[in-house]
Amino acid sequence: MASPSSMTTTSSTTSKLVFSGCSTSSSSSSSSSRRFLPLTTATTSSKCRAFHFHRRFNPLRHVHLRPCKNPTTVFSQTINRPSFIAAAMATEASAKVIDGKRVAKEIREEVAAGVSKMKEALGVVPGLAVILVGDRKDSATYVRNKKKACEDAGIKSFEACLPKDTAEEEVLKHISSFNNDPAVHGILVQLPLPSHINEQNVLNAVCIEKDVDGFHPLNIGRLAMRDREPLFVPCTPKGCIELLHRYGVVIKGKRAVVIGRSNIVGMPAALLLQREDATVSVVHSRTKNPEEFTREADIIISAVGQANMVKGSWIKPGAVIIDVGINPVEDSESPRGYRLVGDVCYDEARQIASAITPVPGGVGPMTIAMLLSNTLISAKRIHNFN
Ligand code: NDP
């Protein structure tokens, strides 16, 4: 299992074809998407097939937007506040496009402003430490991206890049050293770790006050309990809820379905929705007839890792869809030979849902933004700065 802020992939050499695209998505739907959302043209088509990569891609491509004409009743008045970002309205498809890339940029700017305010007032610069064990190319890329994002926000980066045969004890020593370093306000262990290292031992060693990934059992436990507050909420699910908030989607009293129950996305996403007073169902690999649950949902968060699994027919008209899945599908037109799609059949969903996150450009960019935000929150808390 990989951390959301440490999204991972394996090389295409480990890939195999496992899934075909949206079954009911005809060439006409592909062509409509070509006309209205040019950069997502190939998001679904009947010929697309998914690779079963180990996982995790970072969707960073941009989606062009058009202003929304008809906000539906799932949106609250906050839709009109200045930070609200205008969403897309395509002619055949009614769903707004929830633009995670733009929201993430907005959050990163807010974090940068907070960081410089803190520096000015206290002379303190928030610091984020990343521990990377091994030489996986994908992990190294994500660590680099995080470092760059930290630099842009004015957050200081610390790194421990350790060889893949590093003993668990040695990794724990590095964690302990970052735990005790007053310049470090957040610690993130890049996952997956090599198999000889016990992931639980390592994650448990991060002190709860610096657990910016929110994976410490105490943070998750507090998230699950009424009247308790976690110090940190895991970045990807936090990003999902932030998107709903920033787009003015009403959560309270709504029926929500989370597809997937992993520790890093599905489970905390369900807990967060429940804390926001939604009535939540969790669908997983053993759920019979998952579409019976999703058809009742006002809000769907899908975190499965199966390309185009959620068909249009699974969706209640007007529902809001947050698609966390990042799945590579074969695409001979792409120079890379593949492109990324979500768990939700995008072309079909756009015609039924009221709002949807694209893949790429939806939840993906939010994860790092939330990591930066958690790091700033941590520094403020440690230095008692508001
Ligand atoms: P996991 O593999 O840890 O969990 C997948 C979950 O989906 C499991 O709970 C599993 O159920 C469930 N599941 C699998 N198949 C089905 C099915 N056919 N029907 C219903 N449920 C099913 O994955 P993650 O949670 O780590 O990631 C999920 C997706 O989100 C991936 O595509 C990943 O790349 C992406 N991701 C994106 C991030 C981002 O920043 N945008 C960050 C993290 C992940 P069970 O528990 O029964 O096995």
Side-chain angles (χ1 to χ4, degrees):
M1 185 186 301
S3 121
S5 40
S6 57
M7 296 184 297
T8 60
T9 63
T10 54
S11 74
S12 54
T13 51
T14 60
S15 68
K16 59 179 179 172
L17 295 172
V18 291
F19 195 78
S20 66
C22 306
S23 55
T24 59
S25 194
S26 64
S27 52
S28 67
S29 68
S30 293
S31 64
S32 71
S33 68
R34 242 170 228 124
R35 243 175 299 148
F36 297 109
L37 293 169
L39 293 181
T40 56
T41 48
T43 303
T44 49
S45 82
S46 51
K47 68 178 161 66
C48 76
R49 289 180 293 169
F51 290 112
H52 195 85
F53 278 42
H54 179 72
R55 66 180 174 240
R56 303 216 175 76
F57 286 77
N58 192 357
L60 290 170
R61 275 166 47 197
H62 190 67
V63 176
H64 291 310
L65 297 181
R66 289 155 190 256
C68 160
K69 290 179 196 154
N70 296 317
T72 70
T73 49
V74 290
F75 297 99
S76 73
Q77 288 307 309
T78 57
I79 202 162
N80 293 321
R81 71 198 170 118
S83 67
F84 174 72
I85 293 162
M89 181 82 174
T91 309
E92 290 111 329
S94 60
K96 299 172 203 309
V97 176
I98 298 177
D99 186 349
K101 195 173 176 190
R102 287 192 58 185
V103 174
K105 183 171 177 279
E106 193 177 88
I107 291 168
R108 283 161 69 153
E109 285 165 5
E110 288 165 12
V111 170
V115 168
S116 64
K117 204 168 145 194
M118 190 169 176
K119 191 176 171 188
E120 238 169 66
L122 304 182
V124 171
V125 177
L128 174 68
V130 176
I131 295 173
L132 172 66
V133 188
D135 51 8
R136 287 175 61 116
K137 261 190 174 171
D138 50 358
S139 292
T141 304
Y142 291 121
V143 167
R144 236 185 358 259
N145 289 345
K146 278 168 209 159
K147 199 172 166 185
K148 168 84 173 59
C150 282
E151 269 167 29
D152 292 348
I155 291 173
K156 195 164 179 208
S157 281
F158 298 82
E159 262 175 43
C161 296
L162 309 171
K164 67 170 178 241
D165 57 354
T166 305
E168 183 177 313
E169 221 169 80
E170 186 63 23
V171 178
L172 294 175
K173 268 190 204 158
H174 281 273
I175 291 180
S176 168
S177 149
F178 286 137
N179 279 342
N180 295 322
D181 186 341
V184 172
H185 304 95
I187 301 170
L188 181 147
V189 180
Q190 182 71 32
L191 302 179
L193 290 165
S195 54
H196 67 279
I197 296 176
N198 182 316
E199 190 178 293
Q200 268 187 38
N201 290 348
V202 170
L203 295 180
N204 291 358
V206 174
C207 82
I208 181 175
E209 289 81 8
K210 298 187 180 184
D211 173 39
V212 284
D213 246 349
F215 292 161
H216 195 289
L218 281 175
N219 272 323
I220 292 286
R222 288 186 187 187
L223 186 66
M225 291 172 82
R226 286 194 83 146
D227 304 323
R228 301 289 177 93
E229 289 301 324
L231 294 179
F232 301 99
V233 172
C235 300
T236 301
K238 187 178 178 183
C240 295
I241 302 298
E242 189 66 26
L243 285 175
L244 294 174
H245 285 165
R246 293 209 180 210
Y247 273 81
V249 176
V250 177
I251 303 175
K252 187 174 184 165
K254 299 293 175 188
R255 287 187 187 188
V257 167
V258 178
I259 316 179
R261 55 178 171 179
S262 71
N263 287 341
I264 63 168
V265 193
M267 180 267 286
L271 293 174
L272 282 170
L273 287 166
Q274 192 167 282
R275 285 175 83 97
E276 300 257 347
D277 294 328
T279 303
V280 185
S281 304
V282 176
V283 165
H284 47 77
S285 67
R286 308 295 167 92
T287 305
K288 289 191 179 125
N289 305 322
E291 64 279 14
E292 286 175 9
F293 294 86
T294 56
R295 274 186 204 131
E296 298 288 315
D298 302 301
I299 297 167
I300 297 175
I301 296 183
S302 184
V304 175
Q306 302 262 351
N308 300 320
M309 185 184 88
V310 179
K311 309 291 178 203
S313 60
W314 289 34
I315 297 167
K316 176 178 165 182
V320 175
I321 316 285
I322 303 291
D323 191 353
V324 183
I326 305 174
N327 310 291
V329 296
E330 189 183 50
D331 182 0
S332 53
E333 286 169 27
S334 157
R336 294 179 297 183
Y338 69 88
R339 61 194 158 78
L340 302 177
V341 302
D343 293 341
V344 178
C345 191
Y346 187 73
D347 278 357
E348 292 180 11
R350 276 201 311 150
Q351 296 174 45
I352 296 155
S354 61
I356 183 166
T357 55
V359 177
V363 177
M366 293 296 288
T367 300
I368 287 187
M370 290 297 118
L371 176 68
L372 301 180
S373 168
N374 278 355
T375 305
L376 177 61
I377 288 170
S378 177
K380 282 180 167 180
R381 186 162 38 224
I382 288 170
H383 293 279
N384 202 15
F385 179 71
N386 278 316

PDB file of all heavy atoms in Angstrom, residues 24 62 72 114 122 144 175 181 218 237 262 296 300 307 313 318 369:
ATOM      1  N   THR A  24     -20.735   1.094 -22.717  1.00  0.00           N
ATOM      2  CA  THR A  24     -21.782   1.757 -23.490  1.00  0.00           C
ATOM      3  C   THR A  24     -21.297   3.053 -24.117  1.00  0.00           C
ATOM      4  O   THR A  24     -22.041   3.764 -24.735  1.00  0.00           O
ATOM      5  CB  THR A  24     -22.989   2.071 -22.592  1.00  0.00           C
ATOM      6  OG1 THR A  24     -22.522   2.895 -21.535  1.00  0.00           O
ATOM      7  CG2 THR A  24     -23.624   0.823 -22.060  1.00  0.00           C
ATOM      8  N   HIS A  62      -3.826  19.624 -17.713  1.00  0.00           N
ATOM      9  CA  HIS A  62      -4.831  20.656 -17.495  1.00  0.00           C
ATOM     10  C   HIS A  62      -6.111  20.366 -18.264  1.00  0.00           C
ATOM     11  O   HIS A  62      -6.104  19.772 -19.307  1.00  0.00           O
ATOM     12  CB  HIS A  62      -4.235  21.983 -17.969  1.00  0.00           C
ATOM     13  CG  HIS A  62      -5.077  23.147 -17.587  1.00  0.00           C
ATOM     14  ND1 HIS A  62      -5.242  23.524 -16.289  1.00  0.00           N
ATOM     15  CD2 HIS A  62      -5.796  23.996 -18.335  1.00  0.00           C
ATOM     16  CE1 HIS A  62      -6.034  24.585 -16.258  1.00  0.00           C
ATOM     17  NE2 HIS A  62      -6.379  24.872 -17.482  1.00  0.00           N
ATOM     18  N   THR A  72     -26.759  22.962  -9.680  1.00  0.00           N
ATOM     19  CA  THR A  72     -27.926  22.204  -9.224  1.00  0.00           C
ATOM     20  C   THR A  72     -28.059  22.321  -7.718  1.00  0.00           C
ATOM     21  O   THR A  72     -27.228  22.912  -7.049  1.00  0.00           O
ATOM     22  CB  THR A  72     -27.779  20.715  -9.582  1.00  0.00           C
ATOM     23  OG1 THR A  72     -26.753  20.203  -8.765  1.00  0.00           O
ATOM     24  CG2 THR A  72     -27.465  20.504 -11.037  1.00  0.00           C
ATOM     25  N   GLY A 114       0.698  31.799   3.905  1.00  0.00           N
ATOM     26  CA  GLY A 114       0.762  31.462   5.332  1.00  0.00           C
ATOM     27  C   GLY A 114       2.198  31.269   5.797  1.00  0.00           C
ATOM     28  O   GLY A 114       2.578  31.681   6.892  1.00  0.00           O
ATOM     29  N   LEU A 122       7.541  35.206  13.123  1.00  0.00           N
ATOM     30  CA  LEU A 122       8.311  34.432  14.109  1.00  0.00           C
ATOM     31  C   LEU A 122       9.730  34.107  13.671  1.00  0.00           C
ATOM     32  O   LEU A 122      10.524  33.597  14.457  1.00  0.00           O
ATOM     33  CB  LEU A 122       7.620  33.092  14.396  1.00  0.00           C
ATOM     34  CG  LEU A 122       6.159  33.074  14.888  1.00  0.00           C
ATOM     35  CD1 LEU A 122       5.734  31.652  15.153  1.00  0.00           C
ATOM     36  CD2 LEU A 122       6.004  33.905  16.157  1.00  0.00           C
ATOM     37  N   ARG A 144      10.869  14.067  -5.631  1.00  0.00           N
ATOM     38  CA  ARG A 144      11.325  15.287  -6.314  1.00  0.00           C
ATOM     39  C   ARG A 144      10.183  16.298  -6.461  1.00  0.00           C
ATOM     40  O   ARG A 144      10.339  17.487  -6.224  1.00  0.00           O
ATOM     41  CB  ARG A 144      11.857  14.903  -7.698  1.00  0.00           C
ATOM     42  CG  ARG A 144      13.257  15.359  -7.922  1.00  0.00           C
ATOM     43  CD  ARG A 144      13.835  15.135  -9.303  1.00  0.00           C
ATOM     44  NE  ARG A 144      13.041  14.464 -10.284  1.00  0.00           N
ATOM     45  CZ  ARG A 144      13.194  13.169 -10.613  1.00  0.00           C
ATOM     46  NH1 ARG A 144      14.086  12.426 -10.006  1.00  0.00           N
ATOM     47  NH2 ARG A 144      12.447  12.625 -11.556  1.00  0.00           N
ATOM     48  N   ILE A 175      13.844   8.377  11.552  1.00  0.00           N
ATOM     49  CA  ILE A 175      12.555   8.934  11.982  1.00  0.00           C
ATOM     50  C   ILE A 175      12.717   9.600  13.339  1.00  0.00           C
ATOM     51  O   ILE A 175      12.249  10.728  13.563  1.00  0.00           O
ATOM     52  CB  ILE A 175      11.477   7.834  12.021  1.00  0.00           C
ATOM     53  CG1 ILE A 175      11.177   7.387  10.585  1.00  0.00           C
ATOM     54  CG2 ILE A 175      10.194   8.342  12.700  1.00  0.00           C
ATOM     55  CD1 ILE A 175      10.149   6.307  10.464  1.00  0.00           C
ATOM     56  N   ASP A 181      13.982  16.865  15.716  1.00  0.00           N
ATOM     57  CA  ASP A 181      14.540  18.069  15.080  1.00  0.00           C
ATOM     58  C   ASP A 181      13.488  19.194  15.081  1.00  0.00           C
ATOM     59  O   ASP A 181      12.453  19.085  14.413  1.00  0.00           O
ATOM     60  CB  ASP A 181      14.948  17.717  13.641  1.00  0.00           C
ATOM     61  CG  ASP A 181      15.658  18.857  12.942  1.00  0.00           C
ATOM     62  OD1 ASP A 181      15.528  20.019  13.404  1.00  0.00           O
ATOM     63  OD2 ASP A 181      16.331  18.602  11.927  1.00  0.00           O
ATOM     64  N   LEU A 218      -3.170   6.643  15.891  1.00  0.00           N
ATOM     65  CA  LEU A 218      -3.854   7.589  16.798  1.00  0.00           C
ATOM     66  C   LEU A 218      -4.618   8.646  16.016  1.00  0.00           C
ATOM     67  O   LEU A 218      -5.714   9.046  16.396  1.00  0.00           O
ATOM     68  CB  LEU A 218      -2.835   8.263  17.724  1.00  0.00           C
ATOM     69  CG  LEU A 218      -2.382   7.429  18.910  1.00  0.00           C
ATOM     70  CD1 LEU A 218      -1.282   8.163  19.667  1.00  0.00           C
ATOM     71  CD2 LEU A 218      -3.554   7.127  19.827  1.00  0.00           C
ATOM     72  N   PRO A 237      -7.891  11.811   0.896  1.00  0.00           N
ATOM     73  CA  PRO A 237      -9.298  12.007   1.284  1.00  0.00           C
ATOM     74  C   PRO A 237      -9.594  13.443   1.727  1.00  0.00           C
ATOM     75  O   PRO A 237     -10.663  13.977   1.421  1.00  0.00           O
ATOM     76  CB  PRO A 237      -9.507  11.029   2.443  1.00  0.00           C
ATOM     77  CG  PRO A 237      -8.221  10.380   2.710  1.00  0.00           C
ATOM     78  CD  PRO A 237      -7.245  10.733   1.657  1.00  0.00           C
ATOM     79  N   SER A 262      -9.512   1.268   1.503  1.00  0.00           N
ATOM     80  CA  SER A 262      -8.098   1.214   1.913  1.00  0.00           C
ATOM     81  C   SER A 262      -7.850   2.172   3.074  1.00  0.00           C
ATOM     82  O   SER A 262      -8.595   3.139   3.279  1.00  0.00           O
ATOM     83  CB  SER A 262      -7.193   1.589   0.738  1.00  0.00           C
ATOM     84  OG  SER A 262      -7.316   2.963   0.451  1.00  0.00           O
ATOM     85  N   GLU A 296     -28.087   5.085  -5.423  1.00  0.00           N
ATOM     86  CA  GLU A 296     -28.808   5.838  -4.388  1.00  0.00           C
ATOM     87  C   GLU A 296     -27.998   7.036  -3.909  1.00  0.00           C
ATOM     88  O   GLU A 296     -28.452   7.811  -3.072  1.00  0.00           O
ATOM     89  CB  GLU A 296     -29.050   4.937  -3.160  1.00  0.00           C
ATOM     90  CG  GLU A 296     -29.907   3.711  -3.433  1.00  0.00           C
ATOM     91  CD  GLU A 296     -31.355   4.099  -3.637  1.00  0.00           C
ATOM     92  OE1 GLU A 296     -31.856   4.904  -2.850  1.00  0.00           O
ATOM     93  OE2 GLU A 296     -31.966   3.610  -4.615  1.00  0.00           O
ATOM     94  N   ILE A 300     -20.509  10.304  -4.730  1.00  0.00           N
ATOM     95  CA  ILE A 300     -19.716   9.066  -4.838  1.00  0.00           C
ATOM     96  C   ILE A 300     -18.240   9.448  -4.793  1.00  0.00           C
ATOM     97  O   ILE A 300     -17.793  10.335  -5.542  1.00  0.00           O
ATOM     98  CB  ILE A 300     -19.997   8.330  -6.168  1.00  0.00           C
ATOM     99  CG1 ILE A 300     -21.456   7.872  -6.244  1.00  0.00           C
ATOM    100  CG2 ILE A 300     -19.052   7.130  -6.337  1.00  0.00           C
ATOM    101  CD1 ILE A 300     -21.851   7.241  -7.590  1.00  0.00           C
ATOM    102  N   ALA A 307      -9.987   0.755 -14.039  1.00  0.00           N
ATOM    103  CA  ALA A 307     -10.362   1.724 -15.063  1.00  0.00           C
ATOM    104  C   ALA A 307     -11.828   1.593 -15.459  1.00  0.00           C
ATOM    105  O   ALA A 307     -12.305   0.493 -15.747  1.00  0.00           O
ATOM    106  CB  ALA A 307      -9.485   1.527 -16.293  1.00  0.00           C
ATOM    107  N   SER A 313     -24.731   4.022 -15.787  1.00  0.00           N
ATOM    108  CA  SER A 313     -25.948   3.418 -15.236  1.00  0.00           C
ATOM    109  C   SER A 313     -25.849   3.191 -13.721  1.00  0.00           C
ATOM    110  O   SER A 313     -26.835   2.856 -13.082  1.00  0.00           O
ATOM    111  CB  SER A 313     -26.231   2.087 -15.939  1.00  0.00           C
ATOM    112  OG  SER A 313     -25.135   1.216 -15.726  1.00  0.00           O
ATOM    113  N   GLY A 318     -27.698  13.762 -11.265  1.00  0.00           N
ATOM    114  CA  GLY A 318     -27.385  14.913 -10.399  1.00  0.00           C
ATOM    115  C   GLY A 318     -26.344  14.628  -9.332  1.00  0.00           C
ATOM    116  O   GLY A 318     -25.957  15.537  -8.588  1.00  0.00           O
ATOM    117  N   ALA A 369      -0.979  19.318  -2.498  1.00  0.00           N
ATOM    118  CA  ALA A 369      -1.447  20.588  -1.908  1.00  0.00           C
ATOM    119  C   ALA A 369      -1.840  20.376  -0.443  1.00  0.00           C
ATOM    120  O   ALA A 369      -1.530  21.197   0.429  1.00  0.00           O
ATOM    121  CB  ALA A 369      -2.625  21.133  -2.710  1.00  0.00           C
TER     122      ALA A 369
END
